[in-house]
Amino acid sequence: MEFHVNLDGPGDLATRIYRSLRDGVRDGRLRPGDRMPPTRELARTLNVSRGTVATAYERLTAEGFLVGRVGAGTFVAATAVGASSSPPAAGALRPRAGWDRAPSSPSALPAARYDFQVGVPDVRLFPYDTWRRLVAAEWRPRRGAGRDREPAGYADPAGHPGLRAAVARYVGYARSVRAGAEDVVVTNGAQQALDLLARVLLAPGDVVAVEEPGYPPAREVFAAHGAPVVGVPVDGDGLVVSRLPRAARLVYVTPSHQFPLGVAMSLHRRLELLAWADAHDAAVVEDDYDSEYRFADRPLEPLHTLDDGGRVVYVGTFSKTLLPGLRLGFVVVPPSLREAVRAARRVADVHGPVATEAALARFMDEGLLARHIRRTAKVYAQRRSAVLAGLAGELAPYLETVPSAAGLHVCALLRPGADGGAGGAATAQAVAGRARAAGVAVETLAGYQTEPGGPAGLVLGYGAIEAADVPAGLAALAAAFRTVTPR
Ligand SMILES: Cc1ncc(COP(=O)(O)O)c(C=O)c1O
């Protein structure tokens, strides 16, 4: 790529070339060691004489910005870095309201010695060699193969046909979700599925109901589409349906493993929610983000399976079972939404990476996903047992575990007596801060609440921490409690 030489401004042509290149070196657009184009070539590009460029180069060399190496060419000098780079002007443009603050991040904690970060799997468990083999195979040229088998060109916005079929089989087998390949749209993670649904379901001003506490990125994506987002409380049976705002057009829920409390929505509530949606002509978005990891109880039927009115849209992700960095998720849509969601995907980003999607299809078809989930579930089960043991032991005077049967995190509420006097949320915050200083990363429940006054507690992820490290991490957490709430 060519460096853009600006010939504007005062002075003769050689001076203008000199000034433009000097500024490029100073502000770092030209970096030490970069090779400069030969004078003849630059002269041709700029439509000036070679001598003019040579004059500019000589001056830059004399001032130490460039060095000539015999037989090799002219380079930006190693010492000529950012002599007077002034920060670029802030600019006159401003984002519209709502975009002028940083979004939350599901994994905002910096790494710690004992990492109870929420929402992440253990990336060390991923079968990298197998994955590399599958992706590499997709990039081998295939003579005579159909267009949709080729990773190089434009493809179907709904996703690789093989992957859509594999996902339909997978959710049918593992979650009793009845779907054909034609009902599946592959997405860039669950987050894009929510974005697409907001695009096709929400008219300006339509109210969206989300769980409180809940998953901040869901709230954010609906708010980004301009929807008034209303938090609805969650109790031991899941979302409290009787508290739904009558005007809600879309209800976002995590029924298998409420994020972040961990409770499963009871069957009674599931049926109540479906009846509510029918009566209020609303859509229900069921985010089944981590139910592959189930450690007790038989799973309840997904809302999607219980629904016979075509009101439930089922969202899944490979961020927990495989890697968040793959950015692969999917949405199972009712026939009435198929074309709209597919069109929304095309408008949003045309389609996903074909080779990656094809590799995942093979991974699933060869039974490797099922094997990987079985293998990782054993690892997470050990970590989970270690966390539950710590919560039932040294931490029991301070925290009460919220019962849950699935997923990669547990939530524990502050016991009334463990309030250090400053209020539950402040105590939890203080404990998390103390723990952090001792090398333990834990999240507070407050990070998932938008209203003050909800229950106070901590959320402990076990995706990133080895089972052997859990006891020491929780012992340090208990020590933090003892300091903040002396008894
Ligand atoms: C409730 C919930 N939904 C979805 C996801 C995954 O999102 P994505 O597929 O966009 O990575 C997470 C990850 O933390 C989550 O907690």
Side-chain angles (χ1 to χ4, degrees):
M1 226 184 347
E2 277 169 14
F3 179 79
H4 177 80
V5 177
N6 182 358
L7 292 181
D8 293 341
D12 58 23
L13 273 175
T15 304
R16 286 184 247 164
I17 295 168
Y18 156 81
R19 197 166 45 230
S20 179
L21 295 177
R22 182 202 60 193
D23 290 351
V25 174
R26 280 184 165 173
D27 64 24
R29 285 173 296 143
L30 286 167
R31 291 166 311 166
D34 277 357
R35 178 186 236 282
M36 299 301 293
T39 49
R40 187 193 303 277
E41 196 180 299
L42 186 56
R44 197 177 329 113
T45 310
L46 299 177
N47 203 14
V48 301
S49 78
R50 188 178 171 192
T52 304
V53 174
T55 306
Y57 274 24
E58 277 160 23
R59 187 164 164 201
L60 288 160
T61 306
E63 292 179 9
F65 290 105
L66 300 183
V67 283
R69 287 193 214 128
V70 180
T74 305
F75 297 82
V76 177
T79 48
V81 64
S84 79
S85 56
S86 50
L93 303 179
R94 295 282 174 275
R96 72 173 167 82
W99 287 101
D100 39 10
R101 56 188 157 73
S104 67
S105 157
S107 54
L109 291 178
R113 168 76 183 88
Y114 302 103
D115 190 354
F116 293 97
Q117 190 180 148
V118 176
V120 289
D122 192 333
V123 297
R124 293 164 296 191
L125 302 175
F126 184 72
Y128 290 96
D129 288 341
T130 306
W131 186 255
R132 254 197 314 274
R133 174 175 62 75
L134 291 174
V135 174
E138 292 304 324
W139 283 110
R140 235 168 258 144
R142 257 182 282 250
R143 212 170 290 153
R147 266 166 173 255
D148 59 359
R149 301 270 307 142
E150 302 201 324
Y154 286 119
D156 187 341
H160 184 274
L163 180 56
R164 294 168 71 200
V167 166
R169 276 196 301 277
Y170 169 68
V171 294
Y173 185 83
R175 300 291 291 128
S176 77
V177 168
R178 287 183 299 271
E182 65 284 3
D183 303 314
V184 175
V185 174
V186 177
T187 56
N188 219 324
Q191 192 64 16
Q192 188 183 36
L194 302 183
D195 183 70
L196 299 181
L197 293 171
R199 287 169 194 251
V200 305
L201 287 171
L202 298 177
D206 277 355
V207 172
V208 172
V210 298
E211 296 161 324
E212 169 73 27
Y215 181 54
R219 179 180 269 277
E220 284 163 356
V221 73
F222 296 125
H225 283 279
V229 180
V230 178
V232 176
V234 177
D235 66 13
D237 285 322
L239 181 96
V240 182
V241 174
S242 60
R243 300 282 298 275
L244 278 168
R246 297 180 64 80
R249 292 267 61 79
L250 188 158
V251 184
Y252 165 84
V253 280
T254 50
S256 301
H257 184 235
Q258 200 276 332
F259 190 92
L261 293 175
V263 295
M265 186 184 268
S266 65
L267 182 59
H268 167 76
R269 277 287 166 77
R270 288 177 196 234
L271 297 174
E272 194 187 349
L273 175 57
L274 292 175
W276 189 96
D278 242 349
H280 294 80
D281 193 22
V284 176
V285 176
E286 175 174 32
D287 181 357
D288 206 8
Y289 64 105
D290 70 356
S291 64
E292 286 87 355
Y293 295 114
R294 172 156 292 280
F295 305 104
D297 302 347
R298 235 173 46 79
L300 290 167
E301 300 286 290
L303 286 167
H304 187 277
T305 310
L306 297 169
D307 165 43
D308 47 24
R311 297 203 164 270
V312 177
V313 186
Y314 179 91
V315 171
T317 178
F318 294 98
S319 288
K320 311 290 163 147
T321 47
L322 296 173
L323 293 176
L326 282 178
R327 306 308 306 136
L328 279 168
F330 58 88
V331 52
V332 177
V333 291
S336 56
L337 290 181
R338 267 185 214 152
E339 276 317 305
V341 173
R342 187 166 172 271
R345 175 82 210 242
R346 193 183 60 240
V347 168
D349 66 345
V350 188
H351 63 73
V354 181
T356 309
E357 292 182 7
L360 179 55
R362 293 269 307 279
F363 192 79
M364 295 173 81
D365 288 346
E366 291 177 15
L368 300 174
L369 177 67
R371 188 201 294 175
H372 179 66
I373 292 174
R374 275 198 304 277
R375 193 170 72 86
T376 48
K378 283 189 195 138
V379 176
Y380 295 136
Q382 285 174 353
R383 298 179 183 184
R384 174 183 163 84
S385 295
V387 170
L388 293 178
L391 287 169
E394 219 177 337
L395 285 160
Y398 309 103
L399 292 171
E400 183 180 355
T401 307
V402 178
S404 71
L408 297 181
H409 71 265
V410 287
C411 182
L413 302 182
L414 220 60
R415 289 190 190 278
D419 179 345
T427 303
Q429 191 57 51
V431 168
R434 278 270 169 186
R436 180 81 225 181
V440 182
V442 287
E443 298 184 24
T444 62
L445 192 50
Y448 300 101
Q449 288 160 333
T450 52
E451 309 280 338
L458 298 176
V459 192
L460 297 160
Y462 41 82
I465 188 164
E466 306 254 2
D469 287 332
V470 170
L474 294 186
L477 183 59
F481 266 107
R482 282 193 291 275
T483 322
V484 173
T485 64
R487 325 203 111 219

